[in-house]
Amino acid sequence: MVWMGARMLFRTLAIWLVLAGVCSLLAVGAEAQTAPQGTRAVQALPADESSAQPPVRRPPRRLRIYPRYQAEPDGVYPRYFPGPNAVRVCNATYVQEYRPSGTVIVPRMNCVWRRG
């Protein structure tokens, strides 16, 4: 029984020594250090001085505006002159599309201008 009590005492003493060493290392690291030559310390401005300066204004961004073309009543866009007597030939088919919900069949149409 005496040996068990001495062992517990030794463990407790070892833990206290480790904690004391860690605390002393933290205290040494927390001490103020002098800045090396050639470096400057930066200090924050008090709240009243920093709010006195107006914010920096940037010039507004320049946006390019492109004209928005509208389709003619026949629905053809872009509008161009394909030549005299031209006809529009359209090919409509159904194709399969593979989607996460499953395979579906959708209509597709492809149109071209042909000489008439």
Side-chain angles (χ1 to χ4, degrees):
M1 282 299 217
V2 176
W3 178 249
M4 291 298 274
R7 226 168 132 185
M8 289 179 82
L9 181 64
F10 181 73
R11 279 188 187 171
T12 305
L13 183 61
I15 291 173
W16 279 107
L17 287 175
V18 169
L19 287 175
V22 169
C23 290
S24 65
L25 287 176
L26 290 175
V28 169
E31 291 178 5
Q33 298 178 359
T34 58
Q37 189 175 4
T39 60
R40 291 190 238 169
V42 179
Q43 294 179 351
L45 295 174
D48 57 348
E49 290 180 22
S50 64
S51 63
Q53 297 177 355
V56 177
R57 288 204 73 187
R58 294 182 180 175
R61 287 192 172 184
R62 298 202 179 259
L63 300 175
R64 291 185 182 187
I65 299 174
Y66 297 100
R68 185 170 184 174
Y69 296 105
Q70 294 181 357
E72 294 296 319
D74 60 357
V76 178
Y77 175 82
R79 189 104 182 134
Y80 65 95
F81 183 65
N85 300 325
V87 275
R88 191 168 162 223
V89 179
C90 295
N91 182 19
T93 60
Y94 290 101
V95 295
Q96 287 185 352
E97 282 189 1
Y98 302 100
R99 299 183 181 176
S101 60
T103 305
V104 294
I105 299 173
V106 294
R108 290 285 166 98
M109 185 168 21
N110 186 18
C111 298
V112 292
W113 286 101
R114 301 264 187 223
R115 290 185 184 177

